[in-house]
Amino acid sequence: MHPAFSVIFLTTLIGIGQGLFLALYTGQVYSLANLLPGQDSQGFYALGGLVALVFLVAGLFASFFHLGHPERAWRAASQWRTSWLSREVIVLPVFMLLVFLFALVHYLGWTQPLFTVSDALVVDLSLIIGFIASIVAFALYICTAMIYASLKFLKEWHSPLTVVNYTFLGLASGFMLAAAFSAYKGIDLVAFFGTWAVIFTLTAAIGRVASLMRNRQLRNQYDLSSAIGVRHPQLAQQTQGFLGGSFNTREFFHHKSAGFVNNVRRLFLLLVFIVPVVLIAASYFLQSEVLPMAAFAFQYLGLMAERWYFFAEAKHPQNMYYQQIA
Amino acid sequence: MTQLALVIDLNVCVGCHACVTSCKQWNTSGTAGPLPDQRPYDDDPSGVFFNRVQTYEVGCFPDTETVHFPKSCLHCEDPPCVPVCPTGASYKREDNGVVLVDYDKCIGCKYCSWACPYGAREFDENNKVMKKCTLCIDRITDMSLPEEERKPACVMACPTSARIYGDVHDPESAASKAIREEGGYQLQPEWGTKPANHYLPRRKQQIHISEEELVRADNPLRKEDEVPFDQQSETLDDVAW
């Protein structure tokens, strides 16, 4: 497939936004259980929620560049019964609204306890909104990934590993951003978020490497013989029906050399999984506030390469009819 | 239930591209708007076509055959492009099974083209919507046309009658008979899309010749022994000028 930058930005940016929100909410729940020191509502949760919202808006903004008619985008909410894309179009704005409310409640300081569950769990408005938003965040990971995983003809994507990878890569980058955000604000949560970011990064590495190994086994799923229905071992395409290019030769192929694609894979494996873990580990010992930010920056660059490779890796069966790109 | 479709005879297709050009002509001038081209007279021309004719060489020289392969939307009975559409712009007509795009609802996300394993859909770069073969829906449903013209433009244009149009659910239609009797097959049936369009394979040609066809009705040079008709008087050919 041809990797479109609009979709690369959309999927990576909203993944970070969801991950960052989940990180903030995890921090809030931990501090509720007195496992972590409580944080300032305005300075930490409201600002953090705003940062998550900025990433979500940026992703949504990028997605509009993918559409031929962005002014009709509202129509995309109609087919939620059958289309995962339609489901994503509904869930993403709902999640953005919930994150906005979460940040607003913290900003306005509406965090007085509403009620107490069995004299231990003090529930306030932000906890309820955050709980709903967390469920929606995971639903959004599933919707985004299922857009690709549901296409059964694209064997490279048609796997539960696609959902696993979108979820854990989003969580890893989101918690990495939470660590960077804490480091920037000088808050004593860098080690907490950093540890979780490393755990999610390593989990994502297992899933991503598993999908790379799986996709390497996918060979000879379809050939020219079944494409045109002529049972003969010797088949050669003489013309593809036109002399110039067409949508079919542009949309379904990356038009890069095999060496380039392999280098992108090596680059993303290095930048997404190895460099950030090393930088976070170093930041423990050096007590540096720059290193977590650098870890997030490198991981995001790597994620763009990872998403580029994700699209380039998928071989569309229609390419059989266009042997120059098959 | 009606399922209109094309049956394409690879045995007689000569690869003349008449179906391609007539399709382009009809559908670029129709009510649904043009099928635009980009840089049609420059390097790297591009454009929207509903129908393309490809050519394949089968076998190893000198035992080769050339197969011309017309390729258009197969109007699948279980079209994978329809359920993925987020807006409902892609739909399959209930009354005749033709898969269509509502160009006023399409947002141009191209997701349907990813879901089609045959590469049947093409994105219109000028109008920013997805387009595809309509089976000339504006011809075949136009009751103001005489019945023999209520056929897709490609079928009307084919000089060798390689394109048979009809209802593949009606066992008595010419399309169904051709599929049944001439070994019609679907493309990549393993995907489970149940394409409505079928292809007829290369096969031994059978020629039906009646006895009358062996006798020449007009025989001006009288090279054969018997004159096929009773000649009483001079004809124009007997007169020496």
Side-chain angles (χ1 to χ4, degrees):
Chain A
M1 300 296 290
H2 170 72
F5 269 94
S6 51
V7 183
I8 292 176
F9 280 120
L10 165 71
T11 55
T12 53
L13 290 174
I14 65 170
I16 290 170
Q18 290 154 262
L20 176 60
F21 169 78
L22 289 167
L24 294 174
Y25 190 66
T26 309
Q28 189 180 350
V29 172
Y30 267 58
S31 65
L32 201 68
N34 292 321
L35 295 169
L36 284 178
Q39 296 301 325
D40 173 36
S41 261
Q42 280 194 10
F44 185 73
Y45 294 118
L47 189 62
L50 184 69
V51 173
L53 205 55
V54 166
F55 274 87
L56 293 166
V57 170
L60 185 66
F61 181 71
S63 75
F64 280 100
F65 288 94
H66 187 68
L67 301 182
H69 281 279
E71 78 282 3
R72 299 177 187 166
W74 59 273
R75 288 186 182 276
S78 67
Q79 300 300 307
W80 53 271
R81 285 181 191 83
T82 58
S83 173
W84 282 102
L85 180 53
S86 188
R87 287 167 200 166
E88 189 194 36
V89 166
I90 295 169
V91 174
L92 177 56
V94 168
F95 179 64
M96 290 168 74
L97 178 70
L98 287 168
V99 172
F100 173 74
L101 290 177
F102 177 81
L104 188 70
V105 163
H106 274 297
Y107 179 74
L108 297 175
W110 292 350
T111 47
Q112 297 79 20
L114 294 175
F115 55 88
T116 309
V117 179
S118 46
D119 294 331
L121 183 61
V122 183
V123 177
D124 65 28
L125 195 56
S126 68
L127 200 69
I128 297 170
I129 294 173
F131 179 72
I132 301 167
S134 301
I135 295 169
V136 176
F138 280 103
L140 184 53
Y141 279 131
I142 293 169
C143 288
T144 308
M146 279 307 288
I147 290 174
Y148 309 101
S150 65
L151 297 173
K152 63 178 171 178
F153 312 120
L154 284 153
K155 299 279 182 190
E156 288 83 355
W157 296 350
H158 188 53
S159 154
L161 284 171
T162 302
V163 181
V164 171
N165 290 337
Y166 268 74
T167 306
F168 279 102
L169 287 169
L171 286 172
S173 53
F175 274 76
M176 203 67 82
L177 178 58
F181 176 64
S182 306
Y184 175 75
K185 294 283 288 178
I187 296 166
D188 193 23
L189 290 176
V190 183
F192 171 70
F193 288 132
T195 306
W196 275 111
V198 168
I199 291 169
F200 286 134
T201 300
L202 295 177
T203 315
I206 294 169
R208 197 65 183 93
V209 170
S211 83
L212 287 175
M213 287 165 65
R214 171 188 175 272
N215 293 350
R216 189 171 280 198
Q217 307 297 321
L218 296 174
R219 294 266 165 88
N220 298 324
Q221 291 287 331
Y222 22 76
D223 60 1
L224 188 53
S225 180
S226 77
I228 65 170
V230 175
R231 307 290 163 208
H232 198 288
Q234 297 278 338
L235 279 177
Q237 185 169 42
Q238 300 300 312
T239 72
Q240 52 187 6
F242 46 85
L243 292 173
S246 79
F247 175 72
N248 302 73
T249 55
R250 288 189 299 269
E251 179 71 6
F252 302 96
F253 190 59
H254 48 71
H255 294 282
K256 295 280 189 285
S257 69
F260 181 88
V261 176
N262 283 335
N263 282 337
V264 172
R265 186 184 66 234
R266 292 183 195 112
L267 182 73
F268 91 68
L269 287 173
L270 183 70
L271 286 182
V272 175
F273 302 119
I274 299 171
V275 171
V277 171
V278 170
L279 288 177
I280 289 287
S283 77
Y284 285 141
F285 299 109
L286 301 175
Q287 299 292 320
S288 162
E289 62 183 42
V290 182
L291 285 180
M293 288 188 250
F296 170 73
F298 279 116
Q299 190 168 49
Y300 185 65
L301 284 176
L303 266 183
M304 288 207 291
E306 188 276 338
R307 225 31 64 87
W308 189 94
Y309 184 83
F310 173 79
F311 286 104
E313 182 187 34
K315 296 184 192 68
H316 200 286
Q318 79 101 34
N319 289 358
M320 280 297 125
Y321 297 103
Y322 301 94
Q323 290 285 302
Q324 70 173 38
I325 56 168
Chain B
M1 203 182 84
T2 309
Q3 174 63 62
L4 298 178
L6 294 171
V7 177
I8 296 164
D9 192 346
L10 300 182
N11 207 33
V12 292
C13 176
V14 293
C16 70
H17 289 245
C19 53
V20 179
T21 50
S22 65
C23 164
K24 179 86 170 181
Q25 188 278 329
W26 176 263
N27 286 297
T28 204
S29 350
T31 49
L35 300 183
D37 295 317
Q38 288 84 41
R39 306 171 301 280
Y41 305 109
D42 296 326
D43 295 340
D44 189 29
S46 182
V48 184
F49 284 79
F50 292 165
N51 182 30
R52 311 255 192 196
V53 177
Q54 305 187 323
T55 301
Y56 295 89
E57 188 178 71
V58 183
C60 224
F61 182 82
D63 300 317
T64 55
E65 273 202 61
T66 303
V67 174
H68 301 289
F69 180 80
K71 178 177 171 294
S72 58
C73 173
L74 306 171
H75 298 283
C76 298
E77 299 195 36
D78 189 5
C81 52
V82 169
V84 300
C85 177
T87 67
S90 275
Y91 64 105
K92 186 172 175 69
R93 264 179 74 137
E94 300 269 331
D95 58 339
N96 56 18
V98 177
V99 178
L100 293 170
V101 179
D102 184 338
Y103 302 143
D104 294 329
K105 279 188 186 169
C106 176
I107 57 172
C109 70
K110 303 176 190 168
Y111 192 31
C112 54
S113 71
W114 295 9
C116 171
Y118 306 103
R121 290 169 169 248
E122 297 199 13
F123 189 69
D124 178 341
E125 294 288 351
N126 286 34
N127 298 307
K128 302 288 180 196
V129 293
M130 192 58 73
K131 297 209 165 168
K132 66 177 292 300
C133 164
T134 66
L135 213 63
C136 286
I137 195 74
D138 50 347
R139 287 188 72 94
I140 60 177
T141 58
D142 185 353
M143 290 303 158
S144 68
L145 288 175
E147 194 175 354
E148 65 271 18
E149 285 181 30
R150 270 179 242 149
K151 288 177 181 172
C154 57
V155 176
M156 301 286 289
C158 182
T160 61
S161 303
R163 303 174 80 89
I164 307 162
Y165 161 73
D167 176 10
V168 293
H169 282 182
D170 173 9
E172 293 308 310
S173 71
S176 292
K177 279 183 185 162
I179 294 167
R180 201 162 58 233
E181 290 166 15
E182 309 291 345
Y185 64 89
Q186 296 168 318
L187 298 184
Q188 303 183 51
E190 64 270 25
W191 294 128
T193 56
K194 292 191 252 169
N197 278 16
H198 284 65
Y199 286 79
L200 303 183
R202 281 301 177 91
R203 54 204 184 278
K204 290 272 190 238
Q205 188 64 275
Q206 289 178 325
I207 306 175
H208 302 283
I209 302 173
S210 60
E211 203 162 332
E212 305 87 75
E213 285 174 293
L214 292 172
V215 182
R216 299 174 67 182
D218 184 20
N219 192 11
L221 296 179
R222 295 204 183 83
K223 289 288 187 195
E224 285 149 12
D225 291 340
E226 48 180 293
V227 180
F229 50 88
D230 188 24
Q231 191 174 339
Q232 301 294 331
S233 60
E234 279 187 334
T235 67
L236 192 61
D237 292 328
D238 296 321
V239 180
W241 296 90

